Amino acid sequence: MLDLPLIWAGLIATAVLLYVMLDGFDLGVGILFPFARSKDERDVMMNTIAPVWDGNETWLVLGGGGLLAAFPLAYSVLMPALYLPVLLMLAGLILRGVAFEFRFRARDRGRKFWTQMFAGGSILTAVAQGLILGGFIQGVTVEDGRFAGGPFDWLTPYTLLVAAGIVAGYALLGGTWLMMKTRDNLHGDARRWTLVSAAAVGALLAGVSLATLFVHPRIALRWGFDLSDSFVPHWPTLAPLLAIPALGLAGLWLVVGMARRGSHRWPFAGALLLFLSGYLGLAASFMPYIVPYAIDFRQAAAPDNALGLMLAGTAVILPAILGYTAWVYWVFRGKIDAEAGYHH
């Protein structure tokens, strides 16, 4: 007998991870846009993501749509709790999508405007996603299966810290992606952006990790710390989880070490490892809750017959999405320069 709620929780978690990793680097390219030296460099930067950026957002649709269909109770609680940052995220995604297409066709004055809108939309999206993540981690007030908090519960110093970390993390993904896809001066600029972003990510990740232990007592206990007992770790609980931050440190070392050596591909792999580590750390902090810290995924799940029907459809659609995504990345592999691009 299939454990359908667990399968769907895994599918949605995987979709969100793929979205963060894949759309993260093209959001990062937008965040880095203001630092490019010229219009031609910005053209190359956009051409590196042009074939894939729209497809990357497929995983956001799958994650959000899957949450609504498979865990309707969680959706009905989380959406009112995070309504405003979700709207900000959607506004940012729409703005950058429009700016992406219009910029290539605009004249000088219009091109400058759409360049600013593309960068602004990317930053707005990243900040909004950080606020959503921070609001999710710090927990949602639930009474009788409904959201019972205020409209600005998500806006706290902790969520702003998480938002800053997300912006820096996406900039790191964008910088390492550009290192892999560009040449000459732009490659050198991307290397510098990568190293600066890595330093910011290291500092912010340490700050967020420490702050997260104080956000909710459950998180501290999950990691073996009792806040009422002088913050002394319980090593039998903490030790098995140390592999997660170790993975993050390995990813950060890979980014910095390989960027300094001039590697083109390994820094991007290191950035992906860093994000994977952060994602696993979050999973270890609040699983099995899908609405921290009130509703677990089994309580929020739709009936098994509905989950089974959706799983049958997903079994057909998901391999097609994965196959198409892999094919696009394979076809558009390699370096991008000013003479060749998706829109030429």
Side-chain angles (χ1 to χ4, degrees):
M1 188 69 179
L2 294 176
D3 189 344
L4 292 171
L6 181 61
I7 291 172
W8 270 103
L11 284 173
I12 292 172
T14 302
V16 172
L17 176 62
L18 287 171
Y19 170 76
V20 168
M21 287 183 167
L22 298 180
D23 205 38
F25 71 72
D26 59 57
L27 285 168
V29 169
I31 292 168
L32 294 172
F33 228 48
F35 303 104
R37 301 187 187 194
S38 67
K39 176 187 74 68
D40 291 337
E41 284 198 353
R42 283 187 282 271
D43 287 346
V44 174
M45 290 169 71
M46 293 192 88
N47 280 326
T48 67
I49 60 173
V52 297
W53 75 274
D54 213 4
N56 290 341
E57 294 178 359
T58 301
W59 300 107
L60 179 63
V61 176
L62 181 59
L67 181 66
L68 170 61
F71 302 100
L73 177 59
Y75 189 90
S76 70
V77 173
L78 290 173
M79 281 302 295
L82 302 169
Y83 193 64
L84 289 174
V86 168
L87 284 180
L88 288 175
M89 179 186 72
L90 294 176
L93 289 171
I94 293 169
L95 180 60
R96 70 188 294 268
V98 172
F100 191 99
E101 298 298 336
F102 279 28
R103 182 184 175 276
F104 278 106
R105 293 163 177 81
R107 297 185 178 179
D108 291 341
R109 185 179 299 177
R111 177 170 289 224
K112 183 178 180 180
F113 172 78
W114 291 116
T115 292
Q116 295 169 343
M117 291 302 99
F118 181 71
S122 300
I123 295 169
L124 177 61
T125 301
V127 170
Q129 289 180 3
L131 294 172
I132 292 168
L133 177 60
F136 182 82
I137 296 169
Q138 71 184 11
V140 174
T141 304
V142 179
E143 292 180 7
D144 299 323
R146 297 181 180 181
F147 173 61
F152 293 98
D153 286 359
W154 49 270
L155 187 58
T156 65
Y158 174 76
T159 62
L160 293 174
L161 181 64
V162 174
I166 291 293
V167 172
Y170 284 170
L172 177 63
L173 280 173
T176 56
W177 172 259
L178 290 172
M179 284 186 67
M180 186 169 63
K181 299 292 288 185
T182 61
R183 309 173 189 271
D184 304 326
N185 290 336
L186 182 52
H187 175 83
D189 289 342
R191 178 174 174 269
R192 187 177 70 256
W193 299 335
T194 293
L195 292 172
V196 172
S197 299
V201 168
L204 287 166
L205 184 58
V208 169
S209 299
L210 184 60
T212 301
L213 295 176
F214 294 92
V215 163
H216 199 285
R218 287 179 182 268
I219 299 178
L221 289 173
R222 185 69 63 90
W223 285 85
F225 293 95
D226 186 350
L227 300 184
S228 63
D229 188 23
S230 303
F231 211 61
V232 176
H234 182 248
W235 288 107
T237 302
L238 177 61
L241 297 174
L242 290 178
I244 296 174
L247 181 66
L249 289 173
L252 194 59
W253 175 86
L254 202 57
V255 169
V256 175
M258 291 299 167
R260 285 179 173 173
R261 294 181 185 181
S263 172
H264 288 234
R265 296 182 179 179
W266 282 110
F268 184 65
L272 294 180
L273 271 183
L274 188 60
F275 268 79
L276 177 61
S277 167
Y279 196 74
L280 293 175
L282 291 175
S285 297
F286 60 73
M287 281 299 290
Y289 292 103
I290 197 167
V291 180
Y293 300 86
I295 302 172
D296 66 39
F297 70 90
R298 296 192 188 280
Q299 294 171 322
D304 276 1
N305 57 351
L307 294 177
L309 180 62
M310 292 186 295
L311 185 62
T314 304
V316 176
I317 295 172
L318 190 58
I321 296 173
L322 289 169
Y324 167 79
T325 301
W327 179 76
V328 168
Y329 276 89
W330 174 255
V331 168
F332 291 96
R333 67 193 184 277
K335 297 282 187 178
I336 299 292
D337 52 39
E339 285 73 39
Y342 180 71
H343 278 80
H344 284 239

